[in-house]
Amino acid sequence: MDQPSPDQGTPDKRRPERRRQQDRVRPQPARHAAQPRPISLAHPVVAGYNGSASSRNALAYAAGMARRLDRPLLMVYVTSPGVYCEPLTGQVVGLLRDADSLERWLLSELDQAADASELEVHVRTRRGSPARELASIAAEFSADALVIGAPRHFWHHLIGSVPSWLARNARCPVIVVP
């Protein structure tokens, strides 16, 4: 009964034992060069791309930002709804694009704009309003940032543009690259 419990005693005698236990329990770093990184879209850097020179600059900026933050890069290409009415039947027809060729084109654009090595890259295409779709996808994946190119025409500054709408309505930081 005279034996003290392991928690009793001077602080100097207790600390080394606790440190050794913590060292044994502490997991080893999981990242090795030979192991592939897990695929997840948690808090990506979203890059809106439309093929313009400013969107290519934005893509390069977003790739660098994703690399620095160690986040996935999510490229988003928004097309117009692309519907028309067939004259003879009056049927509304949507224009279909080959998703595989569109994805290959977007990845080749990324390779030309930036170094995509060691980046986890995802591609999404959407139909609709570019501003609304970019804001929607950024909210859906809880994006860390949304990077887009600046408008190229003067009248966009007068009547409003995708960057100005996103700056007011997006729920993440919006970076506009010239």
Side-chain angles (χ1 to χ4, degrees):
M1 298 246 156
D2 291 336
Q3 291 181 353
S5 69
D7 290 339
Q8 292 178 349
T10 63
D12 294 335
K13 290 181 182 176
R14 284 184 283 151
R15 285 188 186 148
E17 181 62 29
R18 286 186 181 167
R19 283 188 188 142
R20 279 181 285 197
Q21 287 176 353
Q22 289 174 353
D23 289 342
R24 280 182 270 173
V25 175
R26 184 180 303 159
Q28 296 298 322
R31 286 199 181 169
H32 299 286
Q35 293 179 349
R37 295 174 63 180
I39 297 173
S40 70
L41 270 175
H43 305 285
V45 174
V46 177
Y49 189 76
N50 65 0
S52 68
S54 63
S55 70
R56 182 174 283 191
N57 294 340
L59 184 59
Y61 186 90
M65 182 179 208
R67 185 175 293 107
R68 285 188 302 276
L69 294 175
D70 195 28
R71 298 285 189 205
L73 175 67
L74 177 60
M75 286 180 65
V76 181
Y77 181 77
V78 182
T79 62
S80 64
V83 296
Y84 68 94
C85 183
E86 192 173 274
L88 295 175
T89 62
Q91 182 181 9
V92 177
V93 178
L95 296 175
L96 297 176
R97 292 192 178 177
D98 183 19
D100 291 335
S101 65
L102 184 61
E103 184 174 339
R104 283 192 304 272
W105 173 70
L106 289 169
L107 291 174
S108 71
E109 290 290 313
L110 173 64
D111 288 339
Q112 292 175 8
D115 179 23
S117 63
E118 298 181 13
L119 270 181
E120 182 182 331
V121 178
H122 299 270
V123 175
R124 297 285 192 273
T125 58
R126 297 273 176 106
R127 288 182 180 241
S129 164
R132 292 183 192 280
E133 292 300 323
L134 287 170
S136 170
I137 206 162
E140 179 181 339
F141 293 109
S142 301
D144 278 352
L146 176 59
V147 184
I148 56 173
R152 54 186 176 221
H153 299 292
F154 175 72
W155 61 80
H156 285 142
H157 297 286
L158 297 176
I159 61 172
S161 63
V162 172
S164 63
W165 190 91
L166 285 170
R168 291 188 309 270
N169 296 300
R171 294 191 176 169
C172 67
V174 177
I175 301 167
V176 181
V177 178

